[in-house]
Amino acid sequence: MAIEDDISRVAEQERVLRFDGFDLARAWSLGARVRQFSQERGHVLAIDIRINGMQAFYAAMPEARPDFEHWIYRKRNTVQRFLRSSYAIGLELKAAQTTLEEKWGLPTAEYAAHGGAFPIRVNGVGCIGVITVSGLPQREDHNLVVEALAAELGLDHASLRLA
């Protein structure tokens, strides 16, 4: 699939995957869903959900490495800066053959345009948080987050998933 198709699909995911309301209970439900999917599939990863900068959920699967937390931090920073998924930013940069540092002067120690972080948006409000996973290849990190968001919202994941 062409990168332009992925960029378009991720934009559609960002348009559709929005909540009518999101609170600590919803963060727990969403995080537990990602953890359940990961446990069932034997994934080794870490999960972080933030609401307005506050950590609302965190879990690390058995054998997770401390480095996953640093990746979460960097991917989350990217979403908070651009209010877009970290994978969308990475795809757009790849298509333009540039980097975060070249285009915006953002240091790679603080920002990562790799899949796995997705904005939590509330209809009528905007972006109020970020869900981030780290540990799988970036496309799989992104797809896992999209799958969990779709399930939490009662939407068909198959129609949103990247190939």
Side-chain angles (χ1 to χ4, degrees):
M1 186 172 263
I3 193 167
E4 294 81 16
D5 294 332
D6 280 353
I7 291 169
S8 177
R9 174 66 65 131
V10 174
E12 176 68 5
Q13 292 169 346
E14 291 174 344
R15 186 186 70 74
V16 170
L17 296 171
R18 296 170 183 246
F19 293 86
D20 288 328
F22 197 89
D23 58 14
L24 291 171
R26 198 66 183 263
W28 181 264
S29 176
L30 178 60
R33 187 180 300 273
V34 176
R35 188 182 184 289
Q36 178 185 353
F37 289 167
S38 299
Q39 189 171 26
E40 290 168 355
R41 298 167 190 173
H43 292 158
V44 176
L45 54 76
I47 309 152
D48 179 82
I49 299 176
R50 301 279 169 140
I51 301 174
N52 295 323
M54 180 182 80
Q55 189 171 54
F57 182 93
Y58 184 86
M61 302 305 293
E63 300 180 40
R65 295 186 306 274
D67 190 49
F68 294 172
E69 177 63 25
H70 187 64
W71 276 97
I72 285 171
Y73 167 78
R74 295 168 56 220
K75 291 190 245 185
R76 183 178 62 236
N77 282 349
T78 301
V79 172
Q80 290 172 333
R81 171 79 182 235
F82 297 102
L83 304 178
R84 304 272 320 281
S85 74
S86 56
Y87 198 49
I89 299 300
L91 290 170
E92 290 172 2
L93 290 169
K94 184 176 180 181
Q97 298 182 336
T98 189
T99 66
L100 286 168
E101 195 152 6
E102 290 170 355
K103 187 165 183 172
W104 292 291
L106 299 175
T108 57
E110 299 290 321
Y111 295 87
H114 295 271
F118 202 95
I120 297 171
R121 288 195 176 92
V122 174
N123 292 321
V125 176
C127 183
I128 58 95
V130 181
I131 176 171
T132 311
V133 301
S134 185
L136 303 173
Q138 66 170 329
R139 189 178 186 89
E140 292 177 44
D141 275 348
H142 177 82
N143 273 330
L144 179 61
V145 169
V146 167
E147 180 182 5
L149 286 166
E152 190 70 20
L153 289 163
L155 300 173
D156 176 29
H157 169 247
S159 68
L160 292 169
R161 180 176 174 78
L162 292 174

